[in-house]
Amino acid sequence: MALSRQDIARAGLRLLNDVGLNGLTLRLIAQELGVKAPALYWHLKNKQELLDEMATQMYRDRDDLFDAPVKGGDWAEDLAARARGFRRMMLAYRDGAKVFAGTFLTDIVTPNENVYKFLIGEGFDPHRVGRITFTLFTYVIGFTIEEQAVYPRPGELDERYRERVDTLAERIDAPVLAALTSSLPVGDPDQQFEDGLEIVLTGMRAWLTR
């Protein structure tokens, strides 16, 4: 069977939930595919190229994220919907946000092209359009990295975080403890994400129309 980079990336994504990013190796992927490890090096030189291809495959599998914004709709709500979809895409895999962060998308040059065209067509400055989309999606990636640190597997809290909050509760004031707890996605990460998203979008509206 002839292997492709996509075959290798999909095998890597299948293994992520079992071994996590730190445990993922080209050798392990070769075992998953039933081939010898050197066969993979014809396609990918190292682990970074593997991660680049896996991140690209994550995007390919969610091509609805590329859809053009709905004409006549609220552009901020459209961006919010994309941000939610982007987070779900990464949460579908253990360490999915770490896989995606800082990687090079191999055959997707401008994933936000439709958004750029739409917002520029609405009369916004192209430079600012680029800045807000970058800011929004780095927020999503950063939040999801932190969320997956607290919940390495969906719904499974790393108990060290609960223990840290319980320990701090014994020595800091209640208002400070409330602020600290609110800063960690240990209770309701979905609501915390939505609160952060609202903060970002509010700032974007003000900055774009200033």
Side-chain angles (χ1 to χ4, degrees):
M1 178 185 72
L3 285 177
S4 68
R5 290 171 66 98
Q6 290 190 19
D7 293 329
I8 299 169
R10 288 195 176 100
L13 290 171
R14 287 196 301 271
L15 288 167
L16 264 184
N17 287 336
D18 293 328
V19 302
L21 184 58
N22 290 338
L24 186 66
T25 64
L26 285 169
R27 185 177 300 277
L28 194 59
I29 292 174
Q31 293 175 2
E32 169 77 6
L33 292 170
V35 299
K36 299 293 185 182
L40 303 189
Y41 287 98
W42 286 100
H43 303 278
L44 301 166
K45 296 177 182 177
N46 50 49
K47 189 170 182 179
Q48 185 56 58
E49 285 198 6
L50 169 65
L51 297 181
D52 291 343
E53 197 62 40
M54 287 170 60
T56 304
Q57 190 61 49
M58 289 167 66
Y59 242 122
R60 291 191 194 105
D61 292 341
R62 284 299 313 273
D63 58 2
D64 58 303
L65 293 174
F66 298 100
D67 293 343
V70 177
K71 291 183 177 180
D74 178 57
W75 62 265
E77 277 304 311
D78 183 88
L79 287 183
R82 291 168 189 270
R84 296 181 187 112
F86 189 33
R87 173 174 171 250
R88 287 194 300 270
M89 177 192 77
M90 293 183 288
L91 287 177
Y93 303 98
R94 180 179 171 185
D95 293 330
K98 285 185 178 179
V99 170
F100 204 88
T103 49
F104 177 81
L105 299 181
T106 59
D107 61 6
I108 301 170
V109 180
T110 53
N112 291 317
E113 182 177 2
N114 285 328
V115 178
Y116 297 153
K117 289 180 178 178
F118 176 78
L119 291 175
I120 292 169
E122 292 290 296
F124 294 121
D125 174 71
H127 172 80
R128 294 195 172 204
V129 167
R131 285 285 194 263
I132 66 162
T133 52
F134 177 81
T135 299
L136 176 62
F137 287 104
T138 51
Y139 161 69
V140 180
I141 293 171
F143 180 92
T144 312
I145 287 175
E146 295 300 323
E147 179 180 4
Q148 291 188 311
V150 176
Y151 293 91
R153 295 175 183 273
E156 295 183 11
L157 175 68
D158 182 336
E159 288 299 323
R160 294 177 302 170
Y161 288 91
R162 193 188 309 279
E163 292 167 3
R164 172 67 58 82
V165 172
D166 290 344
T167 300
L168 290 172
E170 298 174 358
R171 65 177 185 83
I172 63 176
D173 295 336
V176 177
L177 179 65
L180 170 65
T181 304
S182 181
S183 73
L184 297 172
V186 294
D188 188 350
D190 290 338
Q191 186 57 55
Q192 186 176 12
F193 176 79
E194 288 296 324
D195 289 344
L197 185 58
E198 182 179 358
I199 293 167
V200 173
L201 289 172
T202 299
M204 285 165 49
R205 283 183 185 276
W207 195 65
L208 272 179
T209 58
R210 187 172 62 189

